[in-house]
Amino acid sequence: MPTEETSQAPWRVSSDTHIVEPPDLFLTRMSKQYLDYAPRLEKVDGVEMWVAEGQPGLPAFVASRAGDRFEPLETRPNRASPSTYGDCTFADDVREGGFNPRVWLDDNEADGVYGGAVFASLTFLFYSMISDTLVLNDIFRAYNDWALDFASEDRDRIKPITMLNLDDIDHAIVEMTRMRDRGAVGACIPVSSPDGYDHVRYERFWAAAQDLNVPLNMHVASIRSTSGFGFVTHSSRQPHIDGPYTTPGMVNTPDMHVRTSLVEMIMSGVFRRYPGLQVVSVENEGSWMPYFMQRMDWHYKYNLRSTDKGYRLEGDLLPSDYVRSNVLVSFTEDAALMRMRDEVGIDRLMWGSDYPHAESTFPLSGSLLDEQFVDVPADEQRTMVQENCAKLYGFDVAKLEAGTAVAEAS
């Protein structure tokens, strides 16, 4: 049981929440010339799926199952494998808070969360499903406009993160500027780039993000490729095993892409050239970060490829120093990270609930944080669950504090 000295803040700001794209979003908001390519919900083998370029991505409901994992097995909805998806529809199975901003606010308030940085849900899939650059640009424009409309319910508490396609750097800069001017507080870029983030073509983009003061977010599953998006559970692949199970890739490599991208940026001097640039690792957890920092430093100091006329950072700075100045980590459930938090830096860590996704801590965020924050001082907890996110994304803590007082009094 946490003591008064170690108890967490009574309310929180989430660095990772989501909204769920309604079925008609792209059909009603995309430009006429691309309407034939608009992602849509279709029945595929009896399952309502998001379909793009003729290929199915994921079932409509997958992005919105918050709370299911806390239900007893006997009453929990059966959503474990594709064979059980048959009767699921967006209308019946997507949590209303995913697409109704008033319910979004009420749900999060009930969970002790009074503000959130808001990311897409299914739109991430289109990085891997849409090959045509112009079509993807228009998909993201349609999503971005809807996200800003969603946030208009309460701009103090709902802070949208725009989606950007970096295939065309000029277009990405224009869209980032347009969305920043309309109230977006950050931009989402692919967690993995086909040509690597050390490529010269990104230099103008890094400069623009720095000048616009737009934090760049690399969210899990936002991989830019044209290989498509498949199911993420083993099902009937191993007949001698009774039932599906989580793929090894989901367990041992979900953070591989963000680590690769950060190495490309840090070791090639992106942050040396653009010291004001801030990059956020989102939903990749973070207990890997201390070892990752150690490995970058070792290779920089001792690997002959680096020391023998290799690229050098400024002065005595090491790669890990740029993590502490230019990289933030959004985590959800990572008790191991809490034990190593000082190695990354308290000011670099932000908690996020992942509402309303199946992995979300909703509606038990408070108790789950208590389990993670054992022996973490209260002031450090407040830094990670309130202050860092508020500072980065422009939440007015005084306004949120006043809002919580009003809510508690009513």
Side-chain angles (χ1 to χ4, degrees):
M1 180 71 66
T3 65
E4 185 176 348
E5 290 75 19
T6 62
S7 61
Q8 61 177 282
W11 58 273
R12 297 169 284 280
V13 183
S14 174
S15 62
D16 178 31
T17 60
H18 295 265
I19 49 182
V20 182
E21 301 81 342
D24 65 348
L25 191 159
F26 303 105
L27 294 170
T28 58
R29 290 179 177 259
M30 284 182 65
S31 303
K32 288 184 178 179
Q33 67 262 43
Y34 301 120
L35 203 54
D36 288 344
Y37 305 97
R40 63 200 71 204
L41 284 177
E42 294 182 4
K43 280 291 186 75
V44 179
D45 296 329
V47 181
E48 199 170 61
M49 304 279 287
W50 278 98
V51 173
E53 291 193 348
Q55 299 297 318
L58 282 180
F61 71 89
V62 163
S64 184
R65 301 307 311 173
D68 275 10
R69 69 186 179 111
F70 303 119
E71 287 286 333
L73 284 175
E74 58 270 18
T75 59
R76 182 188 303 171
N78 189 359
R79 301 288 188 263
S81 68
S83 63
T84 66
Y85 290 163
D87 297 326
C88 305
T89 66
F90 186 97
D92 294 336
D93 291 274
V94 171
R95 189 176 192 89
E96 186 179 357
F99 55 88
N100 182 328
R102 187 65 256 165
V103 178
W104 187 99
L105 289 164
D106 292 343
D107 271 359
N108 279 282
E109 184 175 320
D111 196 34
V113 176
Y114 279 77
V118 171
F119 292 85
S121 289
L122 280 306
T123 305
F124 285 130
L125 303 184
F126 304 137
Y127 276 127
S128 298
M129 294 177 66
I130 304 295
S131 57
D132 188 287
T133 293
L134 297 179
V135 173
L136 188 59
N137 287 346
D138 203 57
I139 287 171
F140 284 176
R141 178 201 56 76
Y143 167 79
N144 292 339
D145 288 342
W146 175 70
L148 262 293
D149 289 347
F150 186 100
S152 66
E153 178 75 18
D154 191 333
R155 291 291 181 87
D156 292 329
R157 295 173 61 186
I158 306 174
K159 303 287 188 179
I161 307 294
T162 187
M163 294 288 296
L164 294 182
N165 176 22
L166 300 189
D167 292 358
D168 181 338
I169 296 299
D170 289 330
H171 176 86
I173 292 173
V174 169
E175 181 67 357
M176 177 168 59
T177 304
R178 182 180 80 91
M179 292 303 292
R180 190 283 311 264
D181 291 345
R182 287 194 58 197
V185 298
C188 187
I189 63 174
V191 70
S192 177
S193 162
D195 43 18
Y197 283 139
D198 50 359
H199 198 285
V200 67
R201 78 182 194 87
Y202 294 107
E203 293 294 301
R204 289 185 298 111
F205 180 75
W206 306 139
Q210 174 184 254
D211 293 346
L212 292 168
N213 195 28
V214 173
L216 301 178
N217 297 263
M218 292 192 286
H219 195 287
V220 72
S222 59
I223 301 167
R224 183 58 176 142
S225 73
T226 56
S227 60
F229 191 94
F231 285 110
V232 289
T233 55
H234 279 303
S235 182
S236 304
R237 290 182 54 181
Q238 307 292 352
H240 64 291
I241 298 174
D242 184 16
Y245 59 96
T246 303
T247 60
M250 284 193 73
V251 175
N252 63 21
T253 59
D255 50 60
M256 174 186 70
H257 300 290
V258 73
R259 286 186 281 116
T260 298
S261 292
L262 288 175
V263 168
E264 291 165 352
M265 297 180 72
I266 294 170
M267 301 291 275
S268 69
V270 168
F271 297 121
R272 177 185 178 181
R273 295 188 292 280
Y274 309 102
L277 184 63
Q278 295 292 304
V279 170
V280 189
S281 168
V282 188
E283 207 175 320
N284 299 290
E285 298 301 353
S287 51
W288 48 267
M289 182 61 87
Y291 176 72
F292 172 76
M293 296 163 70
Q294 172 189 312
R295 289 299 294 168
M296 283 196 298
D297 287 353
W298 187 94
H299 281 279
Y300 182 79
K301 291 189 293 185
Y302 303 120
N303 190 316
L304 295 181
R305 297 177 184 86
S306 295
T307 57
D308 185 9
K309 299 182 181 180
Y311 180 82
R312 308 312 290 167
L313 300 169
E314 185 175 11
D316 296 328
L317 290 177
L318 295 172
S320 60
D321 293 316
Y322 287 96
V323 172
R324 297 185 183 97
S325 61
N326 297 86
V327 179
L328 294 100
V329 176
S330 173
F331 67 94
T332 300
E333 292 181 83
D334 197 339
L337 176 62
M338 294 301 95
R339 294 193 292 272
M340 299 180 286
R341 62 192 183 279
D342 291 334
E343 297 182 39
V344 181
I346 299 299
D347 63 331
R348 298 283 97 191
L349 304 178
M350 307 185 296
W351 171 81
S353 70
D354 196 35
Y355 172 91
H357 291 180
E359 298 86 353
S360 174
T361 55
F362 173 90
L364 302 178
S365 295
S367 59
L368 291 174
L369 277 169
D370 283 342
E371 294 176 5
Q372 295 187 72
F373 283 159
V374 174
D375 296 328
V376 177
D379 61 331
E380 295 185 9
Q381 295 183 37
R382 189 172 296 106
T383 297
M384 291 184 282
V385 303
Q386 285 183 1
E387 295 167 2
N388 290 340
C389 183
K391 179 181 178 181
L392 182 69
Y393 295 124
F395 288 94
D396 187 325
V397 173
K399 280 189 176 181
L400 297 182
E401 190 87 55
T404 64
V406 170
E408 290 170 359
S410 60

